[in-house]
Amino acid sequence: MDDDTPQGYGWFAEAHNLQEGEKANVVLGEDFHTNEVELLNLNDELLKVIEDGGELMFKGGPDDEAVLCTERTTYAVTRVETSNTLLLFQPPGGLPTKVRLPDGTVDDIDADADDHDDRDPTVTPLPKRRKTDDDATGADGDGDGDGPPSTPAEAINRAVKDGVPLGEDGLKDIVSFAQASSHLEVVKCEPRLGPMWERLRQRPHAYAGPEREAEEEEVPVGDDEKNGAADADADGGDRTRARGIEEEDLVENTQASRAEIVHALAAGPAFRDPTNGDRWRGIDEAYADHVLDLLLVTAKTLGMSLDAVDEAAVTTAMAKDDPPTPAPVTRFVLREYAEHAGAHPGSAEESAEESLPGGLWKIDAKKVCRAKASRMLEGSKAAAAGRLRLGDFLADWSGRCDEELRSACTRDLLKGLALIEKGASGRDEDALVRVFRDVDLPKQPRDRFRAIFALKPRWQMDELDAYVAATSDETVEAQLLKYTRVSQPTTDAVPVYSKR
């Protein structure tokens, strides 16, 4: 850059050959009012993704709040309005049509623009082919030509060489090609996996046992239907589709990054079904509970302690039962309700395959008993109405759990599953249980607090803490300050939280 070029103006001063203190005209281009430009404010992490040739993808349906996804992270997208009009400028020769990639090759920015009908508008265009430096600059390598500039550097060099148009008053005309009154900002957010799990829980995608499979006769589908997404027929009804959903379908239609989706699927409740094209299937909640009961009975039948359940043995035995339990479902349930206790005796302790079939697992009493309590409360009309006596429930609950696990059936374990309120007598056993499960509440803090205060207007912290969790952008303390009001009549009184 020339020494006389004002520092801090960057490409703008260089491209328009502006000197310090020089006056110029700002004029509107011929297509100023027809050009529509959307500005996206990128943080350093997203900018690095683009510079490294990575992909950014906008995701969301017409009624969704859009998200922007990289390969590993999800960002919420918000529009920020500006009070002043923002004029947009470019080098006099136009914007570059090519970009230099990290490996030194040059690609067309709009390489896919020739085929708009076949391109997914939500996906960052990918180059059709990589071009060499000779392709980008021409055979003589000088980059000069009648077409638009090839690279940002060429755009600036051409502008300096050709000069900037002058107005009637002899001053340079600096042309604005568009305007913007807002821009998009992104902030890292939790992956929005709810709709994906909702799809996988629907019939026929959710696996609910061999009997259910036999009841649901699969209808053959064509190539355009193989992904298993629900489709409406001419009358507006849903057609029976192939069981399971392709992974690419889930990635494309879920507001989360690929890495977050794959991680969530691996954690379950889901499994790849080799009998249905290796598509992903959800695991019906009631069936998973049934498999848990079977697993505990099978382990006892095989003479195992619940502190050392042999995965290979129980998986094989349950697969041979009538009706059989698929091995992936047994393994999911075992991992969901047990902790890995080491390799099977006789195998290498540090073996890379110790978490595969053959490892030993210790049943987590609290997880098993909590799952049993959740099932019992969900099906109780008395609990739904808040009329279930705590003493009666504790007795029934512990009686339904394995003898080795019953000690975990305590009042504290019900936090996040039910509210326990004082009964008329004031005695602990006469306290009333009302089902209120944290897993049924909305994930977004604003909606979650709305549901909490809809149940009852005032809460103490020992009741509330089971239903409030930190998110990627808000701590628990920040949520309490934002969505609640605290009242404490005296210094020794218990603080009470109400809706702000």
Side-chain angles (χ1 to χ4, degrees):
M1 182 179 290
D2 193 290
D3 292 339
D4 295 332
T5 302
Q7 297 299 313
Y9 286 84
W11 71 268
F12 185 85
E14 184 179 1
H16 294 89
N17 196 23
L18 291 174
Q19 308 303 315
E20 186 172 3
E22 180 179 358
K23 295 182 179 180
N25 300 317
V26 174
V27 299
L28 306 183
E30 294 182 358
D31 53 358
F32 176 85
H33 294 291
T34 59
N35 283 336
E36 295 183 3
V37 178
E38 192 75 83
L39 300 179
L40 176 63
N41 187 17
L42 297 177
N43 57 30
D44 292 341
E45 183 178 348
L46 290 174
L47 185 59
K48 184 69 164 55
V49 171
I50 294 177
E51 291 173 342
D52 291 344
E55 181 182 81
L56 301 181
M57 178 181 291
F58 284 98
K59 289 186 175 184
D63 299 325
D64 297 325
E65 293 182 356
V67 298
L68 181 68
C69 296
T70 66
E71 185 69 17
R72 308 193 64 81
T73 312
T74 302
Y75 296 84
V77 180
T78 58
R79 182 175 298 280
V80 178
E81 303 289 343
T82 55
S83 56
N84 299 320
T85 298
L86 180 65
L87 298 179
L88 306 180
F89 297 88
Q90 60 188 10
L95 293 173
T97 60
K98 299 179 176 66
V99 64
R100 187 175 299 278
L101 298 173
D103 61 4
T105 59
V106 177
D107 278 320
D108 284 337
I109 290 177
D110 56 352
D112 293 334
D114 298 336
D115 197 4
H116 291 288
D117 293 337
D118 294 335
R119 195 183 76 193
D120 184 346
T122 66
V123 180
T124 304
L126 295 175
K128 288 184 178 178
R129 71 181 182 94
R130 295 197 168 181
K131 301 186 178 181
T132 64
D133 291 344
D134 289 341
D135 292 329
T137 59
D140 55 4
D142 60 9
D144 293 331
D146 296 332
S150 299
T151 63
E154 183 185 334
I156 293 175
N157 291 335
R158 187 183 298 181
V160 173
K161 179 179 179 180
D162 296 343
V164 181
L166 300 180
E168 295 180 357
D169 55 3
L171 300 178
K172 295 174 182 175
D173 284 345
I174 311 299
V175 181
S176 173
F177 72 97
Q179 64 179 330
S181 59
S182 66
H183 68 275
L184 301 178
E185 288 193 350
V186 296
V187 60
K188 192 174 295 186
C189 68
E190 298 291 336
R192 299 174 183 174
L193 301 171
M196 178 185 79
W197 290 122
E198 186 63 29
R199 289 182 66 190
L200 289 170
R201 280 195 294 264
Q202 300 299 315
R203 301 175 69 173
H205 306 313
Y207 185 84
E211 296 89 346
R212 172 77 67 82
E213 295 288 283
E215 294 173 2
E216 297 174 346
E217 181 180 359
E218 182 175 342
V219 175
V221 295
D223 290 340
D224 61 333
E225 299 173 324
K226 66 181 180 180
N227 287 334
D231 228 17
D233 59 20
D235 297 327
D238 287 343
R239 294 199 300 264
T240 302
R241 309 300 300 273
R243 297 186 179 105
I245 305 175
E246 297 279 3
E247 184 172 299
E248 286 304 313
D249 183 342
L250 294 172
V251 170
E252 180 179 348
N253 294 291
T254 301
Q255 288 187 290
S257 68
R258 177 182 292 274
E260 291 167 327
I261 292 169
V262 170
H263 176 76
L265 289 171
F271 69 102
R272 286 186 182 274
D273 188 352
T275 66
N276 284 279
D278 214 28
R279 291 187 287 267
W280 283 99
R281 303 192 64 182
I283 301 175
D284 181 78
E285 184 177 356
Y287 181 68
D289 293 338
H290 171 66
V291 172
L292 174 60
D293 292 336
L294 287 179
L295 190 151
L296 297 177
V297 171
T298 302
K300 286 295 192 70
T301 302
L302 296 175
M304 301 176 188
S305 165
L306 296 186
D307 288 340
V309 175
D310 186 331
E311 179 177 341
V314 296
T315 300
T316 300
M318 292 174 67
K320 294 179 179 179
D321 280 345
D322 186 18
T325 302
V329 178
T330 302
R331 285 195 287 269
F332 162 74
V333 171
L334 192 57
R335 282 158 175 73
E336 186 75 4
Y337 295 103
E339 297 178 355
H340 193 253
H344 190 278
S347 64
E349 186 67 28
E350 299 298 326
S351 169
E353 298 186 357
E354 68 175 6
S355 61
L356 295 177
L360 297 179
W361 296 80
K362 178 181 179 180
I363 299 297
D364 189 318
K366 289 185 176 181
K367 286 185 177 180
V368 174
C369 293
R370 185 177 173 85
K372 180 74 73 174
S374 181
R375 295 200 300 271
M376 293 172 63
L377 290 169
E378 189 178 19
S380 170
K381 293 182 179 179
R387 298 195 303 268
L388 179 62
R389 288 183 69 253
L390 178 61
D392 295 339
F393 178 76
L394 290 176
D396 188 20
W397 179 26
S398 61
R400 297 193 189 189
C401 293
D402 187 275
E403 188 174 355
E404 288 187 46
L405 311 176
R406 289 176 185 172
S407 60
C409 297
T410 64
R411 173 174 176 159
D412 285 344
L413 199 61
L414 297 178
K415 287 185 176 181
L417 294 178
L419 284 177
I420 300 176
E421 301 169 310
K422 287 184 178 180
S425 69
R427 295 182 302 178
D428 193 55
E429 62 268 22
D430 290 332
L432 298 177
V433 179
R434 179 191 299 272
V435 61
F436 191 61
R437 305 195 308 172
D438 60 331
V439 296
D440 297 328
L441 297 179
K443 300 300 181 184
Q444 295 300 319
R446 180 184 301 276
D447 297 331
R448 176 169 282 242
F449 276 96
R450 189 172 294 147
I452 287 172
F453 289 118
L455 181 70
K456 69 173 190 172
R458 288 177 291 278
W459 294 68
Q460 294 182 5
M461 195 60 212
D462 63 343
E463 299 173 319
L464 190 59
D465 61 358
Y467 299 100
V468 183
T471 64
S472 59
D473 55 347
E474 279 189 315
T475 63
V476 170
E477 292 75 13
Q479 294 177 41
L480 293 175
L481 287 172
K482 187 174 183 179
Y483 301 110
T484 71
R485 180 182 287 108
V486 185
S487 58
Q488 190 176 14
T490 62
T491 56
D492 59 346
V494 177
V496 175
Y497 294 82
S498 57
K499 182 172 66 173
R500 177 173 289 279

